[in-house]
Amino acid sequence: MLSKAQIREDHKALRQSLSATQRAALSARIRARIMDWLTVRPEITHVHLFLPIERLGEVDTFPLFQELQQKGYTLYTSTLDKHGQGLLTLDITAVRKFKPDSWGIPQPIAAIQTSPDQIQLVLVPLLAYDRVGHRLGYGKGYYDGFLGSLIQPVYKVGLSFFDPIPEIPAEDHDVRLDFCISPSKIHEFHS
């Protein structure tokens, strides 16, 4: 089994090998699959999504954000607290503008800090994921901490340009995904 460090390096390179045009096309296919997934789950109205870091070649969630906004969903994202210890939840339902911070993370302008207690679905960023729903992020553990802190049950859905790898080394604090949506299919994981 490959180490987490090796998987990270491999998948960063794999993602960077995609052109901007390819990333946009694959992101559009992922967005369509998410909307199909939500169509059969009309009870989900509170959605937390990550905002893409362009330099890292992440799945572009801005078109999804705009579509969900137009359809009347209540939308959230997270930002690092001032001490870098965890994530704060922001209500971005009415946000129209974003500005990148020093890390290149889009920051919503005029977002309202709120409680995460109403969130029903969290779209999770990742570098890689495996066949049983373990994900590999950038190694800071922010999303594992955030997901572990939620008191209500939520759907944890990763977004990836690629299919799963056979196995990712898991640790006790790692939070597994329920689904991962790729351009080719919706992968479902069972506990």
Side-chain angles (χ1 to χ4, degrees), residues 78-88 101 103 105 107 142:
S78 291
T79 189
L80 279 177
D81 72 18
K82 288 184 172 61
H83 307 291
Q85 300 300 309
L87 297 177
L88 302 174
D101 68 9
W103 294 90
I105 301 170
Q107 295 298 307
Y142 292 127

Side-chain angles (χ1 to χ4, degrees), residues 1-4 6-7 130 134 165-170:
M1 178 184 342
L2 293 174
S3 70
K4 285 187 173 184
Q6 187 60 57
I7 296 167
D130 69 15
H134 293 121
I165 63 173
E167 190 174 2
I168 289 174

Side-chain angles (χ1 to χ4, degrees), residues 83-96:
H83 307 291
Q85 300 300 309
L87 297 177
L88 302 174
T89 301
L90 302 176
D91 183 325
I92 57 171
T93 304
V95 169
R96 297 285 184 257

Side-chain angles (χ1 to χ4, degrees), residues 96-191:
R96 297 285 184 257
K97 294 183 180 177
F98 298 85
K99 179 181 179 186
D101 68 9
S102 60
W103 294 90
I105 301 170
Q107 295 298 307
I109 296 171
I112 302 163
Q113 186 177 335
T114 189
S115 162
D117 295 350
Q118 297 298 311
I119 295 170
Q120 298 165 290
L121 163 64
V122 179
L123 298 177
V124 186
L126 54 84
L127 280 166
Y129 63 106
D130 69 15
R131 294 177 183 152
V132 297
H134 293 121
R135 66 176 271 280
L136 189 63
Y138 298 104
K140 303 289 187 196
Y142 292 127
Y143 266 84
D144 287 319
F146 172 67
L147 293 168
S149 74
L150 298 175
I151 58 172
Q152 74 279 18
V154 297
Y155 287 104
K156 299 169 291 298
V157 180
L159 304 181
S160 179
F161 294 128
F162 309 106
D163 287 330
I165 63 173
E167 190 174 2
I168 289 174
E171 298 172 41
D172 289 343
H173 65 270
D174 292 337
V175 176
R176 283 177 49 193
L177 299 171
D178 299 308
F179 297 86
C180 191
I181 299 178
S182 72
S184 62
K185 68 182 283 191
I186 296 173
H187 304 269
E188 184 171 0
F189 312 110
H190 301 283
S191 310

Side-chain angles (χ1 to χ4, degrees), residues 55-75:
R55 68 180 168 78
L56 299 179
E58 292 183 320
V59 173
D60 184 359
T61 57
F62 276 115
L64 174 65
F65 165 73
Q66 292 162 347
E67 185 169 353
L68 292 173
Q69 203 175 40
Q70 290 166 358
K71 292 184 180 292
Y73 284 81
T74 303
L75 301 173

